[in-house]
Amino acid sequence: MRHSFRGRLFRSFLVVSLVPLLVCSTMLLQIFRLRMTSAARQEMAGQLSAVSHTLDTAFYAFDQTAAKLRNSALVAGALAGTKGEDTLVYQEFFEAVGQAKGQARFDLYDLEGRWRYSTDLRGTDLPTDWGVLYAAAGAEEGLVYRVSEDISNTDAPQLQGAALLRDEQGAPAGYLVVSLYYSHLHQLLEGVYDSQNDLVLLSRYWRPVYALQPSLADSLADRLRVQLLDGQGPRETSEGFFHSIAWNEASGLYMVLQRPQIFTQETMQLLYTVSLACAVVCVAISILMSLKLSRQLFRPIDRLHRGIGEVVQNHLDVRVPPEGDDELAELAQRFNGMVTALKCNQEQLVDNQRELNQAQIRMLQAQLNPHFLCNTLDTMKWISKINRVPQVALMSTNLADILRFCISPEEFVPLRREAEILDRYIEIQRIRMSGAFTYAMDLPPELEDCLIPKMILQPLVENAILHGLEGRDDGAVRVAAREEGGLLRITVSDNGPGFPPELAAGRCRRESRHLGLYNVDTILTKYYGGDCGLFLSNEGGAVVTAVLPVVREEEEMC
């Protein structure tokens, strides 16, 4: 299925604009919720620490009161009914209670459970065969606490503690009872924790002891008790609330702090709804902006697409009008320039093809003339033999071989073949100059199959004969081939006066007297690069060295 560029561009705009927004908004909501939750837990832990410290201080004062009264002989004697005046007993009793008087009610009972002394004006007797006095009688020392059966009854103690008092001989003398009412606990804990939170005190068996809202204590205690029975343990969170739980060792109570969740389910739904509404608005805005941007980008691209289609159909007169001064307008201008250049190149290609055809025709026509000349030279050879003129016959034969070699289609020939054609040329020159020079060829057998461009040695030897041996009766021309470092070096030397100083010891340059040398250097440079070519020097005469790579007949020419 083919997807248009405009559709992909439109979808890309939507993804780029919406995905970061949705991801960031979701992450921000979650991070904000987690940070607020963490801060609330830390705050609740601090408040529970303050409540625990308050309870520790109060119950430590209760233990100190019990310790003072347990060592008081006056109190023990008064409870036993043997000695002691009530005034002195109350004085010592209140001194032992001290600052703890406002935190709880303190009562003294005899062994039969009769109320005898108190920090309050009224008191009632307590049974000794059950309840808090019964528990205190079985304890060796310290206060033993019991929880009220109904914390909704604020007239009854919410928590009672009792300690057994003994006389000087260690015999039981009576009981100290510490009673904490709702008012005492409220006064003790008021201001210790945040008022927006609810504090619930539970016994070790998860029974309610104190709460501002008794119904909350019952429901919370029941839920925690069920969790314990299920083996789950108390969880710190529930629907709509944070719960922080701690154990106070001094009182033997669990402290449960309940705080409404900052992000309740309704609040989170509201936030998600608002986020979704914002996303919908952003989607609408993104769609409008994406349509506008994609249209602005697609219009010039569509024109370029249609223009390229016209160019494919070889309609090179098409032009794309640029709009604005942005990159797309610059692209349209470059497209127009490309089409104009393409049209010019196409016209030039047609002209070049026409000229190539004409050059091929001229070449074919030019090849006809050498064939005619070769046939004519063959005729001259036979006429010379008939008339017994061997020099003319030999020159005709050699010249015909040279012409046939020149018009052959090969561009590269073996070095031995080039040497054979050079021998034909030397024979012609010896007849012309009546043997006024000597010629030597030094060609190692291993280099005979090296491929070289056709007809590069004859111009070098011709230059040596015409310019180097001019006016000499003892001229000598020597051709030598050597391989050095993967390069073929062909040297043509003579015993003439040599090159002028401005030409020697350097690359061949174009001079009017040495046009053949320049042409050979150009051929070698075109075929093999600037490191190859002709190099001129003087060593007892002119020396021309052709340098080219070693390429065997079995190797393919590049």
Side-chain angles (χ1 to χ4, degrees):
M1 182 179 180
R2 182 174 177 267
H3 300 282
S4 66
F5 173 74
R6 184 177 184 181
R8 293 198 303 270
L9 187 64
F10 176 69
R11 289 190 293 272
S12 299
F13 280 144
L14 284 180
V15 171
V16 170
S17 59
L18 289 181
V19 170
L21 174 65
L22 295 177
V23 172
C24 291
S25 61
T26 303
M27 290 181 61
L28 286 176
L29 283 176
Q30 295 299 326
I31 292 174
F32 184 65
R33 183 177 65 84
L34 292 176
R35 289 294 299 273
M36 295 297 292
T37 301
S38 177
R41 293 188 186 282
Q42 293 179 0
E43 181 182 354
M44 293 171 66
Q47 294 179 14
L48 276 184
S49 178
V51 172
S52 179
H53 177 71
T54 301
L55 293 177
D56 288 341
T57 303
F59 280 82
Y60 176 77
F62 301 158
D63 290 338
Q64 291 297 314
T65 301
K68 293 176 182 179
L69 295 177
R70 187 178 299 111
N71 297 326
S72 175
L74 179 61
V75 173
L79 294 178
T82 59
K83 59 180 178 179
E85 296 182 1
D86 290 344
T87 303
L88 296 176
V89 173
Y90 268 109
Q91 182 180 356
E92 188 166 346
F93 180 40
F94 276 93
E95 288 178 358
V97 172
Q99 298 296 329
K101 178 182 178 182
Q103 298 174 350
R105 172 176 173 168
F106 295 85
D107 296 281
L108 293 175
Y109 290 83
D110 59 16
L111 291 177
E112 285 74 23
R114 293 190 297 267
W115 176 72
R116 299 292 301 274
Y117 303 96
S118 176
T119 56
D120 203 345
L121 298 179
R122 295 173 296 173
T124 58
D125 297 339
L126 294 177
T128 58
D129 54 352
W130 61 276
V132 68
L133 297 184
Y134 178 78
E140 294 184 359
E141 61 181 19
L143 289 166
V144 179
Y145 292 94
R146 287 293 181 266
V147 178
S148 174
E149 296 293 336
D150 183 12
I151 66 170
S152 61
N153 184 10
T154 57
D155 294 332
Q158 307 290 308
L159 183 66
Q160 273 190 322
L164 180 64
L165 302 180
R166 299 179 182 273
D167 57 14
E168 295 177 351
Q169 287 75 31
Y175 301 94
L176 169 66
V177 177
V178 181
S179 301
L180 284 86
Y181 289 81
Y182 177 86
S183 59
H184 293 135
L185 292 172
H186 181 71
Q187 182 180 359
L188 180 66
L189 301 175
E190 186 179 13
V192 178
Y193 60 93
D194 196 342
S195 60
Q196 68 176 350
N197 302 332
D198 292 320
L199 178 65
V200 179
L201 299 180
L202 302 175
S203 68
R204 67 180 67 233
Y205 303 109
W206 299 95
R207 296 181 56 187
V209 175
Y210 166 78
L212 287 176
Q213 302 178 18
S215 59
L216 172 64
D218 292 334
S219 61
L220 182 59
D222 293 340
R223 184 164 60 250
L224 294 176
R225 193 180 301 110
V226 170
Q227 293 175 7
L228 285 175
L229 292 176
D230 292 340
Q232 300 176 359
R235 293 192 296 266
E236 295 189 0
T237 60
S238 64
E239 188 69 23
F241 294 97
F242 292 129
H243 286 154
S244 184
I245 303 172
W247 164 259
N248 182 258
E249 186 176 1
S251 62
L253 300 177
Y254 281 104
M255 302 172 293
V256 181
L257 195 63
Q258 176 175 280
R259 178 174 184 171
Q261 290 188 8
I262 300 175
F263 292 98
T264 61
Q265 185 175 1
E266 292 78 10
T267 304
M268 292 301 297
Q269 289 179 353
L270 178 60
L271 289 176
Y272 285 132
T273 301
V274 173
S275 299
L276 181 61
C278 293
V280 171
V281 174
C282 292
V283 166
I285 296 176
S286 299
I287 290 175
L288 294 177
M289 294 300 296
S290 300
L291 287 175
K292 183 177 180 180
L293 290 175
S294 62
R295 188 180 298 110
Q296 290 178 351
L297 290 176
F298 180 74
R299 187 185 299 114
I301 293 177
D302 183 59
R303 287 198 294 266
L304 283 174
H305 181 266
R306 291 198 300 268
I308 293 174
E310 294 291 330
V311 172
V312 171
Q313 299 297 326
N314 203 28
H315 299 156
L316 301 182
D317 294 328
V318 63
R319 295 293 183 272
V320 176
E323 293 184 1
D325 55 354
D326 55 5
E327 289 80 0
L328 292 176
E330 183 179 356
L331 183 62
Q333 293 175 355
R334 293 190 177 184
F335 174 80
N336 295 335
M338 181 193 68
V339 174
T340 302
L342 182 61
K343 185 176 181 180
C344 294
N345 292 336
Q346 191 178 61
E347 294 174 353
Q348 185 177 3
L349 182 62
V350 173
D351 295 338
N352 292 339
Q353 185 64 39
R354 187 183 302 112
E355 293 177 358
L356 179 61
N357 293 336
Q358 293 176 357
Q360 289 178 344
I361 293 173
R362 288 194 297 270
M363 182 186 69
L364 294 175
Q365 292 174 346
Q367 287 179 346
L368 296 176
N369 295 329
H371 281 291
F372 170 73
L373 292 176
C374 290
N375 295 332
T376 303
L377 290 173
D378 286 338
T379 302
M380 291 174 62
K381 178 184 74 173
W382 292 109
I383 293 175
S384 300
K385 286 186 176 182
I386 293 173
N387 294 311
R388 297 183 178 181
V389 185
Q391 291 86 353
V392 175
L394 182 60
M395 292 181 64
S396 300
T397 301
N398 291 335
L399 183 58
D401 290 342
I402 293 174
L403 288 175
R404 289 189 181 95
F405 181 72
C406 290
I407 65 176
S408 64
E410 295 88 356
E411 294 183 15
F412 297 88
V413 295
L415 186 56
R416 62 175 177 275
R417 178 62 177 154
E418 184 78 4
E420 293 172 358
I421 296 301
L422 187 59
D423 290 339
R424 302 288 189 274
Y425 173 74
I426 292 297
E427 289 179 354
I428 295 174
Q429 292 298 330
R430 281 177 173 171
I431 295 174
R432 185 178 70 85
M433 299 179 66
S434 301
F437 70 94
T438 61
Y439 166 74
M441 166 67 75
D442 183 7
L443 176 60
E446 65 271 12
L447 298 180
E448 290 182 353
D449 60 346
C450 291
L451 295 178
I452 64 173
K454 182 173 63 177
M455 288 299 290
I456 64 169
L457 295 184
Q458 185 272 334
L460 304 183
V461 174
E462 182 179 5
N463 180 79
I465 294 174
L466 295 181
H467 299 288
L469 306 182
E470 185 178 4
R472 297 181 65 92
D473 295 333
D474 57 346
V477 177
R478 185 174 183 273
V479 179
R482 295 290 184 271
E483 180 181 358
E484 297 179 2
L487 294 177
L488 178 63
R489 304 178 70 88
I490 304 175
T491 303
V492 178
S493 59
D494 59 62
N495 59 349
F499 291 108
E502 65 272 11
L503 295 181
R507 291 292 299 267
C508 177
R509 293 179 295 175
R510 183 166 188 173
E511 298 290 339
S512 59
R513 297 179 63 239
H514 303 285
L515 182 60
L517 298 182
Y518 175 78
N519 290 341
V520 173
D521 180 74
T522 302
I523 290 173
L524 295 178
T525 304
K526 294 293 185 182
Y527 275 127
Y528 304 113
D531 294 335
C532 299
L534 294 184
F535 297 86
L536 311 181
S537 63
N538 289 327
E539 298 177 8
V543 178
V544 179
T545 303
V547 179
L548 64 159
V550 175
V551 180
R552 309 289 180 180
E553 276 189 292
E554 62 272 11
E555 299 178 6
E556 183 179 355
M557 288 294 296
C558 296

